């Protein structure tokens, strides 16, 4: 079964985020004065073959801990769903 | 009213993604052979004050077009919700 995992990696709230501050400055300079805060992070979309959803999630968590995120300064969040194009052929389309 | 906007910026599917390929190679080297594809992108979390949700969404779309994404090679997606800590004091928590 093929799954699409989305991994969101963000700096922990206590860690300085110079990229976010720079983007906030740029938005203010463009006239977007309503912006109070910007945090910058990474977004990864991973296509993987695993037996079931639990196993896919646990594998992606291992990937995040080992390579995708630096847990000293970063948090990560994972969202997982069956890849629609391949799920359809099994008779179950996305709702 | 304060809103939290999440902006996901990804390379268009036809555009080469060397960062994604490098991450896929790293995952394979670590033994995650089930990974078929990785696409790398940016994740931005933006806190902003706007009168209502429609206006907040439209402002964030402008930000994405003007600064956050390069629409020649990138797509973006926006998710928006009231910021809970501030929404609560108005008597309406998130559902």
């Amino acid at each position: 079964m093929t799954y699409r995992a989305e991994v969101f990696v963000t700096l922990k709230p206590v860690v300085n985020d110079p990229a976010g501050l720079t983007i906030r400055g740029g938005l203010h300079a463009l006239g977007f004065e309503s912006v109070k805060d910007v945090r910058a992070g990474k977004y990864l979309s991973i296509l993987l073959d695993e037996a079931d959803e639990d196993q896919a999630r646990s594998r992606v968590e291992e990937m995040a801990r080992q390579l995708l995120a630096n847990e000293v300064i970063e948090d990560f969040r994972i969202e997982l769903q069956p890849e629609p194009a391949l799920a359809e052929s099994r008779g179950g389309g996305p709702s």
Side-chain angles (χ1 to χ4, degrees), chain A:
Chain A
M1 184 72 179
T2 301
Y3 294 90
R4 166 82 56 192
E6 293 180 299
V7 184
F8 310 92
V9 181
T10 48
L11 287 166
K12 287 182 190 288
V14 296
V15 177
N16 267 338
D17 178 5
L21 292 175
T22 302
I23 294 168
R24 189 183 67 176
L27 290 171
H28 284 178
L30 287 170
F32 296 105
E33 298 289 347
S34 63
V35 173
K36 294 165 69 180
D37 189 39
V38 178
R39 300 289 288 180
K42 287 175 283 183
Y43 167 75
L44 298 160
S45 174
I46 300 174
L47 201 65
L48 77 166
D49 274 327
E50 292 292 346
D52 58 47
E53 188 164 332
D54 283 350
Q55 189 173 329
R57 182 173 298 274
S58 119
R59 291 296 275 168
V60 176
E61 274 184 26
E62 284 176 58
M63 293 177 206
R65 288 185 206 287
Q66 287 187 39
L67 185 77
L68 309 177
N70 173 357
E71 283 195 281
V72 177
I73 55 165
E74 291 173 327
D75 293 319
F76 65 87
R77 191 176 93 231
I78 294 167
E79 288 180 16
L80 193 76
Q81 62 256 327
E83 177 69 2
L86 298 156
E88 269 162 28
S89 66
R90 297 170 65 101
S95 60

